[in-house]
Amino acid sequence: MIFSTLLFLAQIAVSALAAPIVNERDGITAASASVISSYTPYIQLARAAYCTEGASVWTCGAACNAISNFQIYAGGGDGAATPSWFVGWSSSLNSIVVAHEGTDPTQFLSLLNDADFVPDPMDQAYFPGIIHGGFQDTFKRSASSILTAVKTVMAAKSSSKVTLVGHSLGGALALLDSVYLKIQIPSITIKTVTLGGPRVGNPAFADYLKSFDLTRITHELDPIPIVPGRGLGFAHPQGEVHQSSADDKWYNCPGDIVDHLGPYNDLWVGTIYC
């Protein structure tokens, strides 16, 4: 277990050091103040996923208090082998919400979920392309429960709008949930917002996500979004928005450990900030 954790951290370090420094890319535009502000509710929900501890009650302290109008319907996970998650209703977003806890650098057991960098073939009935094996195994532990909870809220609220959020590993799970839920419930409208998420699948999977409403928020020099490496066959989908403190701006970017926790719009995300 210790070796697996060290392997994961070594992969991050090597990838970060090997990554080219890109000063300019075609198609990068500065995000407006209104667009930046619009991300805050999603950041708050991703933050809360670290603090609910799998409970189905909305009493997780400051993170829950910041979204006082949220109605939780289901929660699960153990914060380790199965990251905590919740499903509920946001009246301000007018949407069903699925949120996943991510990998907190202060919680080493959670890091073990990310230690498998070998892409495993997936059942094509569920996913196109090839998905990171570690994410696949973690996804399966909560998929059916989340599907059931989403259907419950759909019936209760007569809504077909589903928003998925997650930070780090939670971002990877949000991407997988997006595809899975759309296959299982074709009538739903999906919006996905991830924070500091790693690469999840191969280029075919990234291309498949082009039809999805997806925003991938990255922060400063966070190394997590550049692993697993492209040399291992992984690729990011579209939708990156990068936050930089160099000029205090956010940037819309085309296609393809402190910075990992934030701050995103002045909000820190992780168990230690609950």
Side-chain angles (χ1 to χ4, degrees):
M1 292 175 63
I2 294 176
F3 174 76
S4 297
T5 299
L6 292 175
L7 177 63
F8 171 76
L9 295 174
Q11 169 73 17
I12 291 175
V14 171
S15 297
L17 290 172
I21 298 175
V22 180
N23 294 319
E24 184 174 347
R25 273 194 284 170
D26 292 338
I28 296 178
T29 58
S32 67
S34 61
V35 169
I36 294 171
S37 178
S38 72
Y39 297 137
T40 299
Y42 307 103
I43 298 169
Q44 293 279 24
L45 288 163
R47 174 191 177 204
Y50 280 95
C51 306
T52 58
E53 298 181 343
S56 55
V57 292
W58 200 244
T59 54
C60 67
C64 288
N65 293 340
I67 323 169
S68 58
N69 62 354
F70 190 78
Q71 184 179 359
I72 193 166
Y73 275 74
D78 57 15
T82 305
S84 297
W85 57 268
F86 63 79
V87 176
W89 174 258
S90 169
S91 57
S92 60
L93 296 176
N94 193 33
S95 175
I96 300 159
V97 173
V98 179
H100 284 277
E101 176 191 24
T103 301
D104 189 329
T106 66
Q107 305 293 322
F108 276 8
L109 182 57
S110 291
L111 284 171
L112 299 182
N113 282 301
D114 300 77
D116 180 4
F117 286 96
V118 179
D120 292 336
M122 291 288 289
D123 186 338
Q124 296 300 294
Y126 290 90
F127 301 107
I130 299 174
I131 310 303
H132 183 293
F135 302 149
Q136 169 191 321
D137 294 340
T138 306
F139 159 82
K140 288 180 178 179
R141 297 185 191 113
S142 59
S144 61
S145 297
I146 288 173
L147 175 61
T148 298
V150 167
K151 289 180 176 179
T152 297
V153 187
M154 287 181 67
K157 297 297 182 179
S158 299
S159 175
S160 60
K161 182 180 177 182
V162 181
T163 299
L164 299 105
V165 300
H167 169 253
S168 192
L169 171 61
L173 297 175
L175 279 182
L176 296 177
D177 273 352
S178 299
V179 176
Y180 174 70
L181 290 174
K182 186 64 175 177
I183 291 172
Q184 296 296 317
I185 319 172
S187 63
I188 61 175
T189 300
I190 294 280
K191 180 178 181 63
T192 307
V193 180
T194 68
L195 313 175
R199 295 186 178 102
V200 176
N202 65 359
F205 181 74
D207 287 342
Y208 182 86
L209 286 166
K210 284 182 178 179
S211 63
F212 284 67
D213 181 354
L214 170 63
T215 299
R216 298 188 300 104
I217 300 175
T218 59
H219 179 258
E220 293 292 345
L221 301 178
D222 179 8
I224 301 300
I226 62 172
V227 295
R230 285 177 290 187
L232 296 174
F234 291 89
H236 270 307
Q238 81 293 344
E240 181 183 4
V241 177
H242 184 72
Q243 181 181 2
S244 170
S245 65
D247 52 9
D248 197 28
K249 291 183 179 180
W250 291 48
Y251 292 93
N252 300 304
C253 304
D256 200 48
I257 287 265
V258 171
D259 284 341
H260 186 49
L261 301 180
Y264 301 91
N265 272 2
D266 297 322
L267 296 171
W268 292 89
V269 182
T271 305
I272 58 176
Y273 300 108
C274 291

